[in-house]
Amino acid sequence: MSAPKSMAELAAEYGLSPAEYQVVLDRLGREPNDVELGVFSVMWSEHCSYKSSKIHLGKFPTKGPRVICGPGENAGVIDIDDGDACIFKMESHNHPSFIEPYQGAATGVGGIMRDVFTMGARPVALLNALRFGDVNHEKTRRLVSGVVSGIGGYGNCVGVPTVAGETNFHRGYNGNILVNAMCVGLAKADSIFYSAAPGPGLSVVYFGSKTGRDGIHGATMASAEFDEDSDEKRPTVQVGDPFAEKLLIEATLELMASGAVAAIQDMGAAGLTSSSVEMAGKGGVGIELDMDAVPQREEGMTAYEMMLSESQERMLAVLKPGREEDGYRIFKKWGLDAAVIGRTTDTGRLVLNHKGQVVCDVPLAPLFDDAPLYDRPWVQPELHPRIDPKDVPAPDSWPDAVLNVVCCPDMASKRWLWEQYDRHVMADTLHDSATGADAGVVRVHGTDKGLAVTSDCTPRYVQNDPYEGGKQCVAEAWRNLTAVGSRPIAITDNLNFGNPQRPEIMGQIVRAIDGMAEACGALNFPVVSGNVSLYNETNGVAIPPTPTVGAVGLLPNYDVVTGFGSMTEGETLVLIGETRGELGASLYLREVLGREDGAPPPVDLALEKKTGDFVRDRIEAGELTCVHDLSDGGLIGAAADMALASDCGVELDATSPEHAHVLLFAEDQARYLVAVSDPSTLIEKAQAAGLHASVVGTAKGKDFASGAPGADLFRIPLDHLREMHEGWMPNWIEGRA
């Protein structure tokens, strides 16, 4: 029988460094017991404390005329006029989804919804940003199937539409997939609920599902690298129940409407520990809990297990004096477990009682607002030089090149995936993954307004230049909102990186944040919420840096909304914006030439705003109805999307076999492709606004083609393009590709 481990040894196992453990000793003036050590370890984990990123996150602009609540609460809150507010946030469930894809993804959806409705909002839309490994990797197909089933299984049952997202594949995610989930909700601006306990002497009420042993040390697991034994961490993955979540939503909103709530917090990462610490810490009070009163699903649970469990569908509320019975009445109505498990105090301490003993008595400050913060050493990431377009060869086969780009795993239709999501429940969805638009759009029920939502990141850009890639993530989200006619308001972010203790990874984090912050400032696009997910690596191999941006825009009148599926025979395709020939880090380079080098396209933020404002003005004036921003795949990618969504052929004007690939495949930013019947008027207005605009093709026939009469560069029947575009994913899932 081995000797029991010392507290110092346990601290190392729980993710605390020797220096951090010494700080615990200094703060307590003694050695912690196992419960106290567990509490410190989860609250000081990267997942909860943001100890490696917090000093850099302060660079983000977080205020604006429409910002009601910025970072620091469960979700961000923005003003959308008429007394209405939009509440939204994005979070990761990367590590759990890699270990157990169905439950990992499902509980990611459940967790992000709780962040939104705990602020008083009814969830109205879900999005996801998914990154998987190489399609030929042995685990990828199983992970895709499990994650997609988990997202659909949870979101569909709760009854919230999944309206938008993105899915990419790259070998860099072989050892760590990314599952980023975003939720958008609606509330009245004067009925927002916060987590800070307002004072001592108030009842602390637990309600929702019972506490079990699932998810213990989930926050710690999410703050550590993987190795070949990662499957052994399966017990740290939570188990979700979407039907319990639906009951929890309704009970929570009814409790709020009753006026009984003084403060409220969902139990997410670190469970009862983080929720109690954050409520007390934000309110500047203490909290004392009776662990015997916690509703328990399993027998013989220790205080350690109850405090660190991440069992799902649970909430913690501080009720106003004398309102406990109102709470119990509501909880009984919705069939939820509930109990008063403690009170707020004036001690500034976290005190836990279990079986007649005090099992934890620690000051709150070190847990809440005095956790270790690091200015980690970093080095400037290695930057790729710009590739001169003259040095990039044309394809050997034009048809093959077009099909390789348009139908590659990143660009191919994800119909197999999004058909598993209920996109229309609640009956307010106007644009979703099926409709051919750059952003999802939902109506603000009972009004003329709409919300546009999108999720964006181009990891290959960030890999080759984190600063420019960071700018581009924000700019593309802003463009996608603009392209449907909305006015971009604010973003949430999910910063996915490797181990921040490696200076080269920390350099990626710092420079990506620098670029994102600059773009947010230039585009009046503040950050109101977000999440940082670090240590996404296995056996020392980090994921490509992936700072995902989720964004929200407002449509004052949802009848004035655009997509790219309304192009008709005879219309002219006009490209707004200039093409210099940025082929570095492009899909053309990767899918046709087998290269991943080169500087990504630079982002001129002033030009981005000028171009986007022009396009939006034309949409609001009723002059544009078919609009698509240019991103992956350049003009070929955008034109193919429009042709397939509109079921109308396209004849592009590129004719030169030697140079056409620059116009067709370059991924220059600040560009939009539109279909109009009067191109000359639009071009004149663009030129008057100081913008470049030119005719690049015509909507006609049943082919996707480019060239001159009798001298096509390529001519691909639209039906064949569609077969290839929509067939890749189901064929791959079924093992036929």
Side-chain angles (χ1 to χ4, degrees):
M1 187 172 167
S2 58
K5 294 179 179 177
S6 69
M7 281 297 160
E9 291 172 322
L10 284 176
E13 285 188 11
Y14 294 171
L16 294 175
S17 69
E20 289 170 342
Y21 182 61
Q22 185 59 51
V23 175
V24 173
L25 297 178
D26 294 342
R27 300 282 170 83
L28 294 181
R30 58 176 173 81
E31 192 172 68
N33 61 35
D34 62 334
V35 179
E36 294 166 338
L37 182 63
V39 166
F40 271 98
S41 71
V42 293
M43 292 308 298
W44 286 9
S45 69
E46 194 75 54
H47 194 81
C48 292
S49 73
Y50 296 74
K51 58 190 177 186
S52 299
S53 58
K54 200 167 188 176
I55 65 168
H56 298 287
L57 297 176
K59 301 170 184 175
F60 285 139
T62 58
K63 301 184 185 305
R66 290 188 177 272
V67 177
I68 296 173
C69 177
E73 273 293 340
N74 289 287
V77 186
I78 55 174
D79 186 333
I80 57 169
D81 298 333
D82 311 307
D84 297 322
C86 173
I87 293 88
F88 65 102
K89 188 182 183 184
M90 176 179 278
E91 274 204 343
S92 61
H93 235 219
N94 303 334
H95 288 62
S97 298
F98 184 74
I99 296 169
E100 208 323 291
Y102 183 94
Q103 290 295 349
T107 52
V109 174
I112 196 62
M113 280 197 286
R114 286 194 297 280
D115 279 336
V116 168
F117 71 75
T118 195
M119 300 283 295
R122 180 170 292 280
V124 297
L126 293 167
L127 300 82
N128 53 73
L130 312 177
R131 321 281 172 185
F132 297 104
D134 188 283
V135 295
N136 295 314
H137 190 269
E138 60 182 1
K139 288 186 177 181
T140 303
R141 190 179 286 108
R142 177 183 66 85
L143 290 168
V144 170
S145 296
V147 165
V148 171
S149 296
I151 292 170
Y154 204 100
N156 296 354
C157 292
V158 174
V160 179
T162 300
V163 300
E166 52 181 339
T167 304
N168 296 144
F169 299 86
H170 190 273
R171 64 182 181 277
Y173 302 103
N174 283 351
N176 287 81
I177 64 172
L178 301 184
V179 176
N180 297 169
M182 178 174 168
C183 181
V184 180
L186 291 168
K188 289 298 178 182
D190 61 357
S191 299
I192 306 300
F193 289 81
Y194 300 97
S195 56
L202 300 173
S203 296
V204 177
V205 176
Y206 171 122
F207 65 100
S209 297
K210 289 183 171 68
T211 294
R213 290 188 170 96
D214 51 322
I216 293 173
H217 267 296
T220 310
M221 180 268 291
S223 307
E225 301 174 33
F226 281 157
D227 54 30
E228 59 274 356
D229 298 322
S230 61
D231 281 350
E232 295 178 5
K233 298 177 180 178
R234 198 175 297 272
T236 61
V237 178
Q238 313 92 324
V239 178
D241 180 349
F243 300 105
E245 181 99 342
K246 176 63 175 173
L247 298 174
L248 191 64
I249 293 172
E250 300 305 329
T252 301
L253 295 179
E254 186 170 335
L255 182 68
M256 291 167 167
S258 76
V261 175
I264 191 165
Q265 174 75 38
D266 76 300
M267 296 191 216
L272 188 52
T273 296
S274 66
S275 56
S276 57
V277 167
E278 289 180 17
M279 290 178 76
K282 289 176 182 177
V285 299
I287 190 166
E288 184 168 352
L289 302 179
D290 175 9
M291 304 309 295
D292 298 316
V294 173
Q296 298 164 52
R297 194 171 68 231
E298 301 178 48
E299 294 183 0
M301 291 191 72
T302 64
Y304 176 93
E305 291 171 326
M306 285 185 273
M307 289 300 290
L308 270 66
S309 167
E310 294 185 5
S311 295
Q312 296 292 284
E313 296 86 39
R314 302 180 299 158
M315 304 287 283
L316 199 67
V318 173
L319 297 187
K320 295 175 181 177
R323 301 299 300 272
E324 292 86 355
E325 287 305 314
D326 293 325
Y328 279 126
R329 175 181 53 79
I330 293 168
F331 304 140
K332 183 179 180 181
K333 171 185 172 180
W334 292 102
L336 301 177
D337 286 286
V340 174
I341 66 168
R343 297 185 71 79
T344 57
T345 68
D346 60 3
T347 64
R349 302 181 73 82
L350 171 68
V351 178
L352 307 177
N353 301 292
H354 190 222
K355 297 186 182 301
Q357 293 185 321
V358 176
V359 295
C360 173
D361 186 351
V362 298
L364 274 161
L367 297 172
F368 172 66
D369 59 4
D370 196 22
L373 291 180
Y374 298 110
D375 187 358
R376 302 239 188 236
W378 62 278
V379 297
Q380 171 68 43
E382 182 180 348
L383 303 180
H384 288 231
R386 181 177 184 264
I387 294 176
D388 191 321
K390 297 194 298 291
D391 296 333
V392 178
D396 294 330
S397 167
W398 274 97
D400 288 349
V402 172
L403 291 172
N404 285 346
V405 169
V406 173
C407 305
C408 72
D410 280 3
M411 294 285 285
S413 168
K414 306 303 185 300
R415 178 184 294 274
W416 177 90
L417 182 156
W418 48 252
E419 279 188 340
Q420 299 184 52
Y421 305 152
D422 191 332
R423 306 180 308 282
H424 300 285
V425 65
M426 304 181 81
D428 281 317
T429 304
L430 297 177
H431 274 317
D432 62 78
S433 306
T435 58
D438 285 303
V441 179
V442 294
R443 288 183 292 232
V444 178
H445 197 78
T447 77
D448 295 329
K449 298 178 294 191
L451 289 175
V453 294
T454 186
S455 164
D456 296 288
C457 182
T458 311
R460 63 183 187 275
Y461 291 175
V462 190
Q463 181 77 62
N464 290 11
D465 186 338
Y467 172 71
E468 286 295 336
K471 286 163 63 178
Q472 194 273 343
C473 297
V474 175
E476 185 173 348
W478 193 87
R479 278 200 309 274
N480 283 335
L481 296 179
T482 294
V484 297
S486 76
R487 301 171 184 179
I489 297 178
I491 73 168
T492 180
D493 60 64
N494 202 147
L495 307 180
N496 307 273
F497 293 88
N499 184 345
Q501 297 177 56
R502 293 165 57 192
E504 66 273 21
I505 299 297
M506 197 66 218
Q508 293 176 342
I509 298 169
V510 171
R511 293 301 286 153
I513 289 174
D514 287 344
M516 295 172 73
E518 184 178 335
C520 288
L523 299 172
N524 301 318
F525 212 22
V527 179
V528 297
S529 60
N531 172 250
V532 173
S533 174
L534 306 181
Y535 296 94
N536 291 288
E537 53 184 78
T538 297
N539 295 326
V541 179
I543 61 163
T546 311
T548 309
V549 169
V552 173
L554 176 64
L555 286 152
N557 181 351
Y558 62 67
D559 285 333
V560 186
V561 63
T562 51
F564 53 76
S566 58
M567 179 176 64
T568 59
E569 181 85 16
E571 288 187 318
T572 300
L573 297 184
V574 175
L575 179 61
I576 301 171
E578 188 173 5
T579 305
R580 294 175 61 239
E582 300 294 341
L583 286 164
S586 66
L587 283 184
Y588 175 80
L589 216 63
R590 189 181 80 189
E591 299 297 331
V592 178
L593 302 181
R595 297 165 49 183
E596 296 189 29
D597 59 319
V603 180
D604 182 331
L605 293 166
L607 181 62
E608 200 73 66
K609 190 170 188 313
K610 185 178 181 180
T611 308
D613 289 348
F614 172 80
V615 170
R616 191 183 313 104
D617 288 346
R618 304 281 70 73
I619 293 172
E620 292 186 349
E623 297 170 16
L624 296 177
T625 58
C626 186
V627 182
H628 196 1
D629 89 304
L630 268 69
S631 53
D632 288 341
L635 178 57
I636 278 286
D641 283 346
M642 290 172 66
L644 291 168
S646 305
D647 195 25
C648 178
V650 164
E651 302 271 349
L652 296 171
D653 292 342
T655 59
S656 167
E658 294 79 20
H659 308 294
H661 63 291
V662 176
L663 171 66
L664 296 177
F665 293 105
E667 296 182 6
D668 302 67
Q669 302 294 289
R671 297 187 299 163
Y672 299 80
L673 186 63
V674 303
V676 293
S677 55
D678 181 8
S680 57
T681 299
L682 177 63
I683 291 171
E684 286 172 10
K685 288 183 177 180
Q687 292 172 344
L691 298 171
H692 188 276
S694 60
V695 172
V696 293
T698 306
K700 61 184 292 189
K702 289 294 182 182
D703 294 333
F704 186 62
S706 185
D712 292 327
L713 286 180
F714 62 90
R715 182 167 295 277
I716 302 168
L718 196 59
D719 286 346
H720 180 61
L721 183 66
R722 187 183 311 280
E723 181 184 359
M724 298 286 290
H725 187 255
E726 294 198 356
W728 176 80
M729 193 164 205
N731 287 337
W732 172 72
I733 285 287
E734 294 171 16
R736 300 194 302 265

